[in-house]
């Protein structure tokens, strides 16, 4: 195994040295003034990145923990929730909501399809659901949904929206207030360039109203408890203080780059990855469109097992990419390109894939992928 490791998964993602250093500072106490200042600054930065004036609650938990908080605070047993499912994460949220005894209806698509507003309108009319779960970036397929029209349809039907933005926040445009999203869920370990362990929700006034009525039992994830603690600059339970320090530094870096510049960089990275893969003669599974800038899902040539490719990338080159879920595992691999990431990460990933596929006898023009990726990146952003 080579010494240098390259993490090209869609989460966890590489963490900048400044962020690692912030997380390595001496631990501070979560009931003291230092933490209060850190927490207030961090939550303020999260509001800016989420583009919201709504409350932001931060949990010491992975993204699924924050999602669980949304389900238990918004829904009582027996209440109807509509989950838009077009991949692994949509299915996870349907299973989670069912676990708490809610009445789950699914608007189901084949994996890799992009949800459509007119389907959602019909499903809402059909089910009368008062809460809709949407996945912004379905990391299992590479599809980034056009959330704005979906949220508009939900609002017109009087339903609250819960948006999984775990892999999209900080990578592609997301307007919490502008698009009227009631609850946005995200995690530290994707485009926010921080180690795993923290997650967040934004909570609109309408979501607070529902939370006041929900009868589902909850303790650790009780939003009202978190809000009461935040008013005095702390959290109800001991938070991962070192991760909060790391996240605060990472958010500072995102805001310094500027959100619009960050989005443009991600769009260019996605384009570079897609164009490079196609130049190599590979077929894309994820949509070949500008919006899908989080992770590129690629199919291996016939007869080449993607699972072996993923293992060989790791063992030979120290490169981690993601495999495909379920049946897609044999043919699909996914290159994540969010957060602390540049175009040379793309060319490194593609060059390594090229070597291994050529060894397997695939017909590949050597060098074409990296050259095309760099050109495609440079089409909007100077390399
Ligand atoms: C990573 C991810 C999650 C969260 O998963 P955790 O492992 O619980 O942090 C949720 N949704 C999407 C779309 C993701 O990419």
């Amino acid at each position: 195994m080579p010494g240098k490791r390259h993490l090209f998964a869609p989460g966890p993602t590489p963490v900048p040295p400044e962020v690692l250093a912030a997380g390595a500072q001496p631990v501070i106490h979560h009931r003291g003034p230092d933490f209060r200042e850190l927490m207030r600054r961090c939550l303020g930065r999260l509001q800016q990145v989420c583009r919201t004036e709504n409350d932001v609650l931060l949990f010491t938990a992975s993204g699924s923990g924050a999602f669980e908080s949304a389900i238990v605070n918004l829904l009582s047993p027996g209440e109807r929730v509509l989950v838009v499912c077009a991949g692994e994460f949509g299915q996870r949220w349907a299973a989670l909501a069912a676990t708490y005894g809610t009445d789950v209806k699914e608007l189901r698509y084949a994996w890799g399809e992009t949800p459509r507003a007119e389907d959602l309108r019909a499903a809402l009319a059909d089910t009368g659901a008062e809460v809709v779960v949407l996945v912004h970036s379905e990391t299992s397929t590479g599809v980034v949904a056009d959330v704005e029209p979906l949220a508009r349809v939900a609002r017109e039907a009087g339903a609250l929206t819960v948006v999984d933005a775990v892999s999209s926040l900080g990578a592609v445009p997301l307007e919490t207030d502008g698009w009227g999203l009631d609850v946005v869920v995200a995690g530290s370990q994707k485009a926010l360039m921080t180690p795993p362990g923290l997650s967040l929700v934004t909570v609109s006034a309408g979501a607070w109203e529902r939370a006041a009525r929900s009868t589902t039992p909850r303790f650790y994830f009780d939003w009202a408890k978190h809000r009461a603690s935040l008013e005095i600059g702390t959290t109800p339970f001991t938070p991962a203080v070192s991760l909060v320090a790391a996240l605060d530094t990472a958010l500072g870096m995102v805001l310094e780059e500027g959100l619009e510049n960050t989005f443009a960089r991600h769009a260019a990275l996605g384009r570079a990855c897609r164009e490079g893969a196609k130049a190599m003669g590979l077929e894309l599974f994820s949509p070949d469109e500008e919006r899908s800038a989080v992770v590129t899902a690629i199919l291996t040539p016939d007869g080449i097992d993607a699972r072996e490719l993923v293992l060989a990338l790791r063992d030979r080159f120290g490169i981690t990419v993601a495999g495909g879920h379920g049946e897609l595992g044999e043919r699909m691999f996914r290159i994540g390109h969010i957060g602390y990431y540049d175009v040379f990460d793309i060319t490194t990933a593609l060059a390594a894939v090229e070597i291994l596929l050529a060894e397997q006898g695939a017909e590949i023009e050597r060098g074409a992928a990296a050259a095309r990726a760099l050109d495609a990146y440079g089409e909007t952003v100077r390399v």
Side-chain angles (χ1 to χ4, degrees):
M1 172 97 54
K4 182 159 183 178
R5 308 296 301 268
H6 305 267
L7 184 55
F8 300 148
T13 63
V15 177
E18 300 90 315
V19 176
L20 291 171
Q25 296 303 302
V27 171
I28 57 175
H29 197 270
H30 63 294
R31 301 276 182 242
D34 313 352
F35 184 74
R36 201 174 304 137
E37 188 188 328
L38 169 66
M39 189 68 170
R40 290 214 164 115
R41 190 174 57 234
C42 184
L43 293 175
R45 287 174 169 172
L46 280 173
Q47 282 179 313
Q48 289 183 60
V49 171
C50 295
R51 293 185 154 162
T52 188
E53 313 246 300
N54 290 342
D55 291 313
V56 177
L57 308 178
L58 192 60
F59 303 105
T60 295
S62 85
S64 301
F67 220 94
E68 185 151 332
S69 87
I71 298 298
V72 298
N73 282 274
L74 293 174
L75 290 155
S76 303
E79 283 184 338
R80 190 161 287 177
V81 52
L82 179 64
V83 183
V84 179
C85 292
E88 169 80 13
F89 289 99
Q91 288 180 3
R92 183 183 296 183
W93 308 140
L96 167 59
T99 301
Y100 282 97
T102 66
D103 180 13
V104 181
K105 301 291 176 204
E106 293 180 19
L107 170 55
R108 201 177 256 275
Y109 292 95
W111 284 37
E113 281 193 66
T114 304
R116 288 174 294 268
E118 58 272 24
D119 299 340
L120 181 60
R121 185 178 289 116
L124 278 164
D126 246 23
T127 59
E130 290 179 9
V131 175
V132 178
V133 172
L134 303 169
V135 178
H136 188 198
S137 161
E138 181 45 88
T139 318
S140 61
T141 66
V143 171
V144 173
D146 190 2
V147 165
E148 186 180 12
L150 295 167
R152 192 179 317 124
V153 161
R155 198 166 56 248
E156 284 163 8
L160 228 75
T161 44
V162 180
V163 178
D164 174 350
V166 180
S167 66
S168 58
L169 184 68
V172 293
L174 175 90
E175 301 284 343
T176 302
D177 292 355
W179 299 348
L181 311 178
D182 291 287
V183 175
V184 169
V185 181
S188 56
Q189 80 274 28
K190 308 268 167 104
L192 300 185
M193 309 190 293
T194 302
L198 293 177
S199 54
L200 62 112
V201 291
T202 68
V203 185
S204 71
W208 279 118
E209 266 170 44
R210 274 199 80 92
R213 295 199 305 270
S214 160
T215 60
T216 300
R218 54 202 191 261
F219 192 88
Y220 186 78
F221 286 124
D222 185 1
W223 285 352
K225 265 200 195 86
H226 284 263
R227 178 163 64 177
S229 292
L230 279 181
E231 276 162 15
I232 50 167
T234 188
T235 48
F237 316 106
T238 313
V241 286
S242 305
L243 290 177
V244 179
L247 178 62
D248 176 56
T249 296
L251 294 168
M253 290 172 69
V254 169
L255 293 169
E256 197 182 345
E257 182 180 18
L259 273 179
E260 294 304 330
N261 295 330
T262 305
F263 299 150
R265 175 168 56 85
H266 282 90
L269 288 169
R271 186 181 331 118
C273 194
R274 293 190 300 277
E275 290 300 316
K278 288 190 293 179
M280 214 191 292
L282 299 179
E283 192 185 330
L284 301 178
F285 179 85
S286 48
D288 192 0
E289 61 187 26
E290 194 85 352
R291 201 170 59 233
S292 290
V294 170
V295 53
T296 300
I298 303 170
L299 298 173
T300 52
D302 270 337
I304 297 184
D305 189 331
R307 290 167 301 195
E308 283 170 22
L309 175 71
V310 170
L311 289 178
L313 284 168
R314 189 195 63 192
D315 293 343
R316 295 262 304 276
F317 305 129
I319 290 176
T320 297
V321 301
H325 295 262
E327 286 162 26
L328 294 168
E330 268 173 46
R331 286 290 307 281
M332 189 213 274
F333 64 100
R334 292 172 297 143
I335 299 176
H337 29 75
I338 46 174
Y340 185 53
Y341 211 93
D342 67 22
V343 71
F344 298 105
D345 293 323
I346 298 281
T347 56
T348 298
L350 292 175
V353 167
E354 176 182 305
I355 291 171
L356 295 174
L357 292 180
E359 279 179 10
Q360 297 275 312
E363 267 183 46
I364 280 177
E365 188 194 336
R366 299 299 305 272
R372 182 67 196 114
L374 289 169
D375 282 349
Y377 188 79
E379 278 161 20
T380 54
V381 181
R382 284 183 72 84
V383 181

